[in-house]
Amino acid sequence: MTNNTADSKKNILFIMCDQLRYDYLSCYGHPTIDTPNIDRLASMGMRFEHAYVQAPQCGPSRACIYTGRYMTSHGSNWNRIPLAPNEKTIGDYLKPLGYRTAVVGKTHMKPDLESYARLNIDAKDPNLELAVHAGFEPFERDDGLNPDPIVQANLGYNQHLRSKGYASQNPWQENANNAVDEAGKIKNGWLMENSHLPANVKEEDSETAYMTKRGMEFIDEASKDEAPWCLHLSYIKPHWPYIAPAPYHAMYSKEDVIPVQRSETEKDSAHPVFAHFMAKADSQTMARKEARAKAIPAYMGLIKQIDDHIGNLLSYLEEKDLLSNTMIVFTSDHGDYLGDHFLIEKLLFHDVSVRVPLIIYDPSKDADEARATTCSDLIESIDLLPTFLDFAGGDLKAQDHRLEGKSLLPHLRAEKIETWRDSAIAEIDFHTPELAKQYNLPDTECRAYMIFNGRYKYILFDHFRPQLFDLENDSTEINDLGESPNHAEIRAELHEKLFTWLRRRKTRTTVDNEWFYTKKGPKFERQIGMYIGYYDEKDLERN
């Protein structure tokens, strides 16, 4: 692909929110939340209606996005499980093209220190910075959860807060993520009963404001060099604690919360894994009316704050004349149940958990025809890395033995696409100690796989019956057809398609396809002096 930008230096601004549902933006149809700046970004580029993450949990989802590979392929199937050292990530693909690739905010990735030690590799070697930090220079690395037992002594955000006069031992906890009531008393920010209160921090000192500021500082610094840059601006919010700084804490009320997506019928003969997660104490708390009435308006306020800072960021890029040569991507690592289906957090495969917003602005003149349009194709989050590589001028074909996603540049540039995927895939490890004990399950046999063909969503569980949802007739996924006799043929068809997908994972990553095709067969064997299966000289002449 060619890129006709005003400048040959093609930058990438990769914005990700943590735990942002696809339907909590005004451009995605939310009736009460107002996100004009993200809407503006959508009008500048393309909005993807059906984008799915490949694992609805922070760590595995990001591992998929950063590698361009499915969870089954890269093996990081839970939070805090490192990628293997041989897994390439965004920085590994862009650095050979001259890019400076950095992160401001969260990655949720950990280095495989055990493998480094076994190979006698010093993880503190500056030359290994990209590998240790999942392919990013840690310009402002902050994984966003810093309660007292695990807070880092040198956390940059805490140092910033102390410089602004916040004198507590852990300002992240005591200020940014605790609340303060009308009497000035500090309230626990983890408790949803306090979510309606303002954070004990000024808005300009909050995490979202700080990360935006640090993102601009990176761009200022990187733009002085001739090299192109890729910044992963990875916002920590609206992930819990659901505490927003003033005035965002009071911008929305329970009247602004959309109706809950659930039915008591879901509890009747519920799938065992679904029933287990519904029965957990945190899910039962989130399902309470008063919890939703307190937490969701705060969640919405955090989103509104992010939108305002996206507006600041777009104005900054405009002032710096960087919109002409900077691709901007806005997405999320997964959604949030918010009490829908009687659940909290993410992990299972309802759309509110596994479907995410995705907006891409391509500055190329070739993308003018597709601006301010929507795309209804099935998109996977692993498509982002190939899109970055394509935009940067990299050779996608040379990486075909590794990358499992597809470039979205043809979509962004209104090119004719002969074939596209007919289904989206997601995976998760549903193991919990309680579930494993109840059903005597080893942790290696607690996998679930989702395949969605645009209408039917089929979910295969180790050791349990499948689930099936017809989103054409049941858009909120209330009616589980996993045991419906009338849908046996559909389940069988999607099961076979899922089995085909599993068989075709790209596990041979140490050599590329060209090596594989040229280092096999009789011709190659003769080149290296091996003559296997010949009877006489005539055989040699014929072959």
Side-chain angles (χ1 to χ4, degrees):
M1 298 266 172
T2 59
N3 188 284
N4 301 322
T5 60
D7 191 333
S8 59
K9 178 179 174 180
K10 296 178 284 188
N11 307 311
I12 300 168
L13 176 57
F14 174 24
I15 304 170
M16 182 184 288
C17 294
D18 194 345
Q19 206 150 307
L20 172 62
R21 279 172 57 143
Y22 79 95
D23 56 349
Y24 267 70
L25 300 171
S26 48
C27 60
Y28 277 86
H30 196 287
T32 58
I33 199 168
D34 183 29
T35 52
N37 298 297
I38 296 171
D39 295 358
R40 178 195 170 195
L41 184 61
S43 72
M44 294 164 56
M46 178 174 284
R47 182 171 62 84
F48 294 87
E49 287 276 9
H50 297 100
Y52 287 84
V53 296
Q54 276 48 80
Q57 189 187 30
C58 297
S61 176
R62 290 165 183 267
C64 293
I65 294 168
Y66 299 156
T67 63
R69 290 161 56 75
Y70 294 102
M71 190 177 85
T72 283
S73 300
H74 63 65
S76 178
N77 65 326
W78 196 256
N79 289 340
R80 298 178 297 279
I81 293 180
L83 287 167
N86 68 320
E87 286 292 342
K88 292 185 177 181
T89 52
I90 293 173
D92 296 306
Y93 290 99
L94 294 183
K95 186 177 180 179
L97 300 175
Y99 275 75
R100 180 181 176 186
T101 307
V103 63
V104 168
K106 179 177 182 177
T107 67
H108 220 298
M109 296 286 100
K110 291 175 69 68
D112 185 1
L113 296 179
E114 182 179 340
S115 291
Y116 290 162
R118 177 174 56 83
L119 297 170
N120 199 28
I121 296 173
D122 182 5
K124 296 181 180 180
D125 185 339
N127 294 318
L128 292 176
E129 186 176 66
L130 289 182
V132 171
H133 294 281
F136 301 105
E137 169 195 333
F139 189 83
E140 185 68 45
R141 170 81 184 270
D142 184 341
D143 278 353
L145 290 175
N146 299 289
D148 293 341
I150 60 172
V151 65
Q152 297 177 10
N154 61 346
L155 182 68
Y157 180 54
N158 269 352
Q159 293 175 9
H160 167 74
L161 289 178
R162 292 188 189 105
S163 74
K164 300 298 287 288
Y166 299 91
S168 59
Q169 183 175 356
N170 180 6
W172 179 92
Q173 181 68 78
E174 294 300 317
N175 299 102
N177 288 282
N178 269 350
V180 59
D181 68 11
E182 296 81 356
K185 185 177 180 181
I186 305 301
K187 295 290 186 177
N188 190 337
W190 292 96
L191 303 181
M192 285 181 276
E193 69 172 355
N194 298 322
S195 292
H196 67 293
L197 297 172
N200 187 30
V201 71
K202 294 179 181 179
E203 190 282 327
E204 60 264 31
D205 300 327
S206 66
E207 289 172 290
T208 295
Y210 176 70
M211 294 304 166
T212 304
K213 172 178 172 289
R214 291 293 284 149
M216 291 178 182
E217 288 173 356
F218 169 81
I219 295 172
D220 275 343
E221 180 182 306
S223 296
K224 295 175 183 177
D225 300 328
E226 293 184 4
W229 49 263
C230 172
L231 172 62
H232 183 28
L233 179 55
S234 186
Y235 285 113
I236 293 160
K237 298 298 184 181
H239 192 285
W240 42 259
Y242 299 130
I243 290 290
Y248 296 98
H249 76 290
M251 285 189 176
Y252 299 96
S253 68
K254 62 183 180 181
E255 283 73 30
D256 296 307
V257 175
I258 57 178
V260 66
Q261 298 180 24
R262 68 188 185 205
S263 169
E264 290 294 328
T265 60
E266 291 182 277
K267 298 179 180 179
D268 300 336
S269 302
H271 187 283
V273 175
F274 182 24
H276 167 75
F277 281 97
M278 281 195 292
K280 292 183 68 178
D282 54 359
S283 288
Q284 292 189 35
T285 298
M286 191 72 233
R288 288 160 54 181
K289 184 178 180 179
E290 63 269 28
R292 284 174 42 84
K294 291 283 185 74
I296 297 179
Y299 179 82
M300 295 171 68
L302 290 167
I303 296 168
K304 177 63 176 175
Q305 185 191 14
I306 289 171
D307 181 77
D308 283 349
H309 282 277
I310 295 294
N312 296 337
L313 197 55
L314 291 175
S315 296
Y316 163 84
L317 293 171
E318 207 163 24
E319 291 169 6
K320 298 290 184 179
D321 194 27
L322 289 169
L323 287 179
S324 63
N325 66 330
T326 301
M327 171 178 277
I328 305 174
V329 175
F330 178 87
T331 191
S332 175
D333 59 350
H334 51 74
D336 192 330
Y337 275 105
L338 296 175
D340 286 353
H341 308 285
F342 305 96
L343 295 171
I344 194 171
E345 284 258 79
K346 50 269 183 183
L347 284 180
L348 299 184
F349 298 106
H350 300 90
D351 265 14
V352 296
S353 171
V354 75
R355 184 176 167 190
V356 293
L358 176 61
I359 298 167
I360 302 180
Y361 162 69
D362 178 357
S364 169
K365 293 180 180 179
D366 294 338
D368 288 350
E369 184 180 339
R371 298 199 191 285
T373 62
T374 59
C375 174
S376 60
D377 283 349
L378 292 171
I379 306 301
E380 296 183 333
S381 61
I382 58 172
D383 296 334
L384 292 179
L385 196 163
T387 303
F388 299 162
L389 186 59
D390 202 3
F391 175 75
D395 185 353
L396 285 176
K397 187 176 180 182
Q399 305 300 333
D400 189 55
H401 63 297
R402 280 184 175 270
L403 294 178
E404 295 179 310
K406 302 181 179 184
S407 172
L408 298 175
L409 244 59
H411 288 83
L412 298 170
R413 299 178 181 181
E415 297 177 6
K416 185 178 180 181
I417 300 172
E418 297 292 343
T419 59
W420 190 251
R421 68 171 59 88
D422 59 6
S423 56
I425 300 290
E427 310 168 71
I428 201 64
D429 187 324
F430 60 81
H431 174 273
T432 70
E434 300 81 9
L435 187 68
K437 182 177 180 180
Q438 180 180 356
Y439 292 100
N440 193 28
L441 298 176
D443 61 345
T444 55
E445 297 178 16
C446 293
R447 289 287 184 87
Y449 304 84
M450 178 205 87
I451 182 168
F452 176 55
N453 68 3
R455 176 177 176 178
Y456 289 103
K457 183 183 291 184
Y458 175 78
I459 303 165
L460 176 67
F461 293 87
D462 279 346
H463 293 286
F464 298 104
R465 71 164 178 86
Q467 287 184 297
L468 181 73
F469 296 98
D470 178 2
L471 275 73
E472 185 175 293
N473 295 302
D474 177 25
S475 62
T476 55
E477 302 169 273
I478 301 295
N479 185 23
D480 183 359
L481 305 171
E483 294 182 305
S484 166
N486 296 332
H487 295 83
E489 187 174 334
I490 294 167
R491 292 195 301 272
E493 176 186 333
L494 292 174
H495 184 96
E496 181 58 33
K497 183 167 286 192
L498 182 61
F499 184 43
T500 299
W501 169 84
L502 279 168
R503 295 196 308 269
R504 293 178 180 173
R505 292 309 89 233
K506 295 181 178 180
T507 56
R508 175 184 48 79
T509 60
T510 52
V511 295
D512 61 20
N513 290 342
E514 182 178 359
W515 184 99
F516 196 68
Y517 294 135
T518 58
K519 306 300 182 183
K520 295 175 65 178
K523 183 177 180 180
F524 172 71
E525 289 170 357
R526 290 200 303 273
Q527 289 174 354
I528 61 174
M530 294 173 57
Y531 298 89
I532 301 172
Y534 297 95
Y535 180 72
D536 56 21
E537 294 293 332
K538 292 182 179 180
D539 279 354
L540 288 174
E541 293 172 3
R542 284 195 297 269
N543 292 286

